[in-house]
Amino acid sequence: MYLPQISSPPTPARQGGMVLVTTLIFLVIMTMLGLASVQGNSLQERMAGNSRDLNLAFQAAEAALRAAEDEVRNNDIEVGSQSHVIADVSKEDPPISPSSVTYWYAELEKDTAKSVSVSQVASAPAYIIEVLDPPSGSGGASASNEVVDAAFEAQPSEEGLDNTYRITSRGVGATEGASVILQSTFALPPTSP
């Protein structure tokens, strides 16, 4: 009796796992691209949040400057009349630079600084008003106190600007991490006799 011989189907050529290796490399590359994309988005989100925080801090400090200018316009401001009104710090012994950031951070943290109510910030902005001494001698205006608020549209007269103030304010954003200090020189025109 003759039995037919059953042969096995022909085997394809040996691939040696090349498809598996190629697929794994492709998956690793796609994973790395995905992680880089997530990290980039996370960084952009933090940058946008920090930018918003800094913008809020700037607006809070600006609001405090405007409140102080309104106070100067509406009241007779004299050194010692209120705790947030001080003498010219550049006349201190030793003299303090008006642009000394560390000095102003410390001063604006004290209870003597006046606060302004602003929403969406971590703490209320504060300001200090310095009464600047008129220039000695002729009574004329010096280059440092010729800055006049545009709302008054005043120019220094021959008598000069006797009522000159330096206003320093500090504002923080939605977190205490963003802090802005602003300073302006504010002058009122001389009062007519």
Side-chain angles (χ1 to χ4, degrees), residues 14 16 30 39-41 51 55 71 85 89 100 103 107 120-121 143 152-154 170 173 176-177:
R14 195 174 163 113
M30 292 302 290
Q39 287 177 339
N41 287 341
S51 178
N55 190 15
E71 182 177 345
V85 179
V89 296
S100 171
Y103 173 79
E107 285 298 309
Q120 298 181 0
V121 294
F152 289 105
E153 297 178 5
R170 176 179 182 256
E176 292 286 338

Side-chain angles (χ1 to χ4, degrees), residues 83 107 109-114:
S83 62
E107 285 298 309
E109 289 295 320
K110 293 182 179 176
D111 290 336
T112 56
K114 188 167 184 179

Side-chain angles (χ1 to χ4, degrees), residues 68 72-73 75-79 85-86 128-133 145 147 162-168 184-188:
V72 168
R73 275 189 201 104
N75 299 314
D76 188 22
I77 302 293
E78 294 179 15
V79 175
V85 179
I86 62 174
I128 292 177
I129 301 171
E130 282 178 88
V131 179
L132 300 178
D133 294 334
N145 69 357
V147 180
D162 296 330
N163 304 321
T164 307
Y165 307 90
R166 183 180 303 121
I167 302 169
T168 306
S184 71
T185 304
F186 186 79
L188 294 174

Side-chain angles (χ1 to χ4, degrees), residues 133-142 158-160 162:
D133 294 334
S136 59
S138 66
S142 70
E158 292 179 13
E159 294 83 31
D162 296 330

Side-chain angles (χ1 to χ4, degrees), residues 86-97 103 107 130 133:
I86 62 174
D88 187 353
V89 296
S90 61
K91 307 285 192 253
E92 299 267 331
D93 187 27
I96 298 167
S97 169
Y103 173 79
E107 285 298 309
E130 282 178 88
D133 294 334

Side-chain angles (χ1 to χ4, degrees), residues 15-32:
Q15 293 182 0
M18 235 8 231
V19 171
L20 178 63
V21 171
T22 306
T23 303
L24 286 176
I25 290 173
F26 182 71
L27 283 174
V28 167
I29 291 172
M30 292 302 290
T31 302
M32 290 172 59

